Amino acid sequence: MLTGRQTLGTIEQALSDLRREESELSQRIERATRGLTDLQERQTEAYRDLARFHLDNDAAGALNTRLDSAAREARRLLEKRTADYKVLSDQLRQCESERSALHARRQKLDADRDTAENQMDDLLEAVDSRLEGDDAFQRQKAAVERAEETAAAAAAKAETSEADRLEKGKAYEADPLFLYLWDRGFATPSYDKRGLTRSLDRWVAGLIGYNAARANYAMLTGIPERMAKHAARCAEIADQEQAKLAELSRNAMTDAAGTDLVGSIETLSGEIDSIDGDLDQLDRRIETLAGALAEFASGEDNDFQKAEEHLASSLKMDALNDLWRAAIETPSPEDEKIVQRIEDFKDRIEQVAREVRQDRELQRDIGRRRAELADVVKRFRSNGYGSWETTFSDDRLTTVLLGELVKGAISGAEYWDRAQRSHKRRRPKGRRVAFPKGKGLPRSMGGFGGIPGPGGFGGPGAGMPGGNDGFGGGGFKTGGGFGGGGFKTGDTF
């Protein structure tokens, strides 16, 4: 049985190893890429020697000037590129150094938290035994039960009153004349119409028995609101009583441990969460820098491409092709060595270029696998799979399956699916006397903190029976009326 922290730690170590491998490969590609341009420059120099051997001074000088111009521009671009590469490399090393220090700090905090959590877990049996005989705790537990019952009843009544409003309000809300007057606030202080409009509104109101209907509809809509407020207040009181019970549990644990273990665990968790946020920002920064360096290493940056273009175009000049053919057609002992040097450079350039292409393909593959692994780490963290309560029944998550993920044999989604299926929650020891329902227990141990938020017991009427007796002895019925039948639903009057 693996713990969540062991599993996450192993995955993070594999991710660090893959990042290091990717960084080393990028550096190797960068060196080889610079080596290509160096070989091209040396090949250019060999062509200069061949020009001096076969051409007169004027022709050789003109050709050398053209080659020198291309070489100087390429060298300028490469020197600028080297400076830019160094800046990026220094920034990446700084970020990685900061990340290493943060990660070490996190591991220390995690170990301290794990020690405190295990100590607390070992003490739960003793704390339960103490609280079972503690009169104050038992009285508060009874107070919680009463408050929860009251909150449940109030929520049920609120739900029933809302259902009653929806049902009995249909007739009012289906009548356009009633809604017209209601929306205008007729017969209330907010009504501000004058003259003919006021007279016509008064006539319509009399025609449909609006005043009596308005009073009943106001009651119909007002009671659910009051009931909902009452239910919310009862839930708040129940939360407060539960918080008092959680505090008694916490005090008992503090007495047993000689220190506030819950507070220590929550403080450590807060620091770890803060570090995780910093690590997430650093990881994004590292990804950006690593991507930029990978672009440099692959020779895809503008400066390298321009430099390579200058050198390549200079080596493809017609004058050099003519010079090469002349040297081949009229070999002499003096120029044979120069021709052989040029051919050797050509072969070495092709070999290095082939190796660089292979390394770039490997770099893309490692980048893809590293991204899959990084996504798994993010999922573990966001789902709390690094908490004390998390365990995994599949031991292969840190061996065979992780190896397949690192090699790219399975995707991050497949690995995550395996992790989810083997995920278990470790239950703290004890008989569930202390920290009832997890209230007051550290969140990392499956608890809900010291004071639950408002509405922690569900919304009004969350599946709880109850009801009221209606309004006004049955109130308004669809199709019925008020005041001797003066009000009728429908579109006519």
Side-chain angles (χ1 to χ4, degrees):
M1 183 74 72
L2 296 170
T3 69
R5 288 172 186 167
Q6 288 173 335
T7 307
L8 180 56
T10 304
I11 298 172
E12 287 181 326
Q13 183 58 54
L15 178 58
S16 295
D17 292 342
L18 204 56
R19 278 174 170 157
R20 182 169 57 253
E21 182 180 349
E22 184 179 24
S23 177
E24 292 171 354
L25 181 60
S26 291
Q27 292 173 12
R28 187 172 79 196
I29 294 174
E30 165 63 14
R31 289 193 297 270
T33 302
R34 290 202 307 266
L36 275 176
T37 58
D38 180 62
L39 287 172
Q40 286 176 316
E41 286 192 50
R42 294 168 66 185
Q43 188 180 27
T44 300
E45 183 61 37
Y47 270 112
R48 288 195 189 97
D49 292 341
L50 192 62
R52 283 191 289 270
F53 182 85
H54 278 280
L55 302 177
D56 58 46
N57 289 337
D58 290 340
L63 182 59
N64 285 341
T65 297
R66 293 172 65 189
L67 292 174
D68 284 344
S69 176
R72 279 196 304 272
E73 179 59 18
R75 195 173 299 111
R76 183 190 68 79
L77 291 168
L78 291 174
E79 286 174 354
K80 176 181 177 297
R81 178 179 185 272
T82 299
D84 292 341
Y85 185 85
K86 183 179 184 304
V87 170
L88 288 174
S89 298
D90 289 344
Q91 290 177 348
L92 180 59
R93 278 193 296 270
Q94 177 65 29
C95 286
E96 288 175 338
S97 177
E98 291 178 15
R99 192 190 191 285
S100 178
L102 275 177
H103 188 64
R105 171 65 176 159
R106 190 193 190 283
Q107 287 181 311
K108 173 64 169 58
L109 292 171
D110 217 13
D112 292 344
R113 181 175 63 174
D114 201 55
T115 298
E117 288 166 338
N118 289 331
Q119 181 185 359
M120 182 171 172
D121 193 39
D122 291 338
L123 289 171
L124 280 172
E125 287 279 2
V127 171
D128 280 355
S129 297
R130 172 182 172 178
L131 292 178
E132 281 174 334
D134 187 294
D135 291 340
F137 183 83
Q138 294 302 324
R139 285 194 301 272
Q140 184 58 38
K141 182 180 179 183
V144 168
E145 291 171 354
R146 289 193 299 272
E148 288 183 343
E149 289 174 2
T150 300
K157 289 182 179 180
E159 181 184 59
T160 302
S161 67
E162 176 62 18
D164 206 28
R165 184 198 70 78
L166 292 174
E167 178 61 29
K168 295 180 180 180
K170 289 178 181 177
Y172 298 95
E173 292 156 6
D175 190 282
L177 296 178
F178 175 79
L179 283 183
Y180 162 78
L181 294 173
W182 176 268
D183 291 339
R184 285 197 166 200
F186 186 79
T188 68
S190 63
Y191 184 76
D192 59 357
K193 305 304 179 182
R194 296 288 184 271
L196 181 60
T197 299
R198 189 181 189 92
S199 298
L200 288 173
D201 286 349
R202 187 181 299 115
W203 175 74
V204 171
L207 189 64
I208 66 172
Y210 175 78
N211 289 338
R214 189 198 65 78
N216 280 278
Y217 188 68
M219 180 183 297
L220 188 65
T221 56
I223 288 178
E225 182 179 350
R226 291 194 297 272
M227 294 293 290
K229 290 181 179 178
H230 176 65
R233 178 55 184 159
C234 289
E236 183 180 348
I237 292 171
D239 286 348
Q240 292 169 356
E241 295 298 328
Q242 184 64 262
K244 294 176 185 177
L245 191 64
E247 188 67 20
L248 291 174
S249 297
R250 178 168 172 164
N251 291 341
M253 179 59 69
T254 299
D255 291 342
T259 185
D260 181 10
L261 279 180
V262 177
S264 297
I265 292 168
E266 294 289 16
T267 297
L268 289 167
S269 294
E271 292 183 50
I272 289 170
D273 289 344
S274 177
I275 288 177
D276 283 344
D278 293 338
L279 285 172
D280 185 56
Q281 291 182 3
L282 268 177
D283 284 343
R284 288 198 295 268
R285 175 67 173 155
I286 287 172
E287 289 292 325
T288 300
L289 290 170
L293 285 171
E295 182 179 315
F296 269 83
S298 63
E300 295 175 356
D301 57 289
N302 288 334
D303 286 339
F304 179 81
Q305 291 180 351
K306 289 179 180 178
E308 189 176 46
E309 181 182 343
H310 279 288
L311 289 172
S313 61
S314 68
L315 292 173
K316 292 178 182 178
M317 291 189 300
D318 292 340
L320 291 187
N321 293 330
D322 294 341
L323 189 62
W324 174 261
R325 284 193 295 270
I328 294 298
E329 291 170 359
T330 57
S332 65
E334 291 79 5
D335 67 359
E336 280 183 358
K337 293 181 180 180
I338 301 175
V339 170
Q340 187 60 51
R341 278 169 54 203
I342 294 174
E343 290 180 340
D344 288 344
F345 282 129
K346 180 180 179 181
D347 291 341
R348 289 172 63 186
I349 287 171
E350 290 178 354
Q351 179 183 352
V352 173
R354 184 167 54 251
E355 292 172 353
V356 168
R357 285 195 299 271
Q358 293 171 348
D359 281 347
R360 286 174 182 171
E361 183 61 33
L362 178 59
Q363 183 187 48
R364 283 190 288 270
D365 179 60
I366 291 177
R368 179 186 59 79
R369 289 185 277 136
R370 185 252 309 140
E372 294 275 350
L373 206 55
D375 182 64
V376 169
V377 170
K378 289 179 180 178
R379 291 192 185 198
F380 263 67
R381 286 182 178 169
S382 63
N383 286 274
Y385 278 14
S387 64
W388 177 90
E389 63 169 347
T390 294
T391 62
F392 296 100
S393 59
D394 191 348
D395 291 345
R396 295 179 304 163
L397 286 173
T398 58
T399 53
V400 177
L401 292 174
L402 182 57
E404 291 181 349
L405 175 61
V406 171
K407 291 185 295 185
I410 62 174
S411 67
E414 291 174 301
Y415 184 91
W416 173 246
D417 181 61
R418 300 283 189 92
Q420 283 186 305
R421 281 191 274 133
S422 69
H423 176 247
K424 308 291 181 185
R425 293 195 181 277
R426 176 169 44 166
R427 298 186 68 182
K429 297 174 184 176
R431 299 182 298 280
R432 312 295 179 265
V433 178
F435 306 102
K437 300 181 182 179
K439 302 295 171 51
L441 196 69
R443 291 174 176 82
S444 59
M445 297 179 71
F448 301 97
I451 302 177
F457 300 99
M464 293 170 275
N468 60 38
D469 297 325
F471 304 90
F476 174 77
K477 305 289 186 182
T478 303
F482 293 92
F487 175 74
K488 303 288 185 182
T489 62
D491 297 328
T492 62
F493 57 91

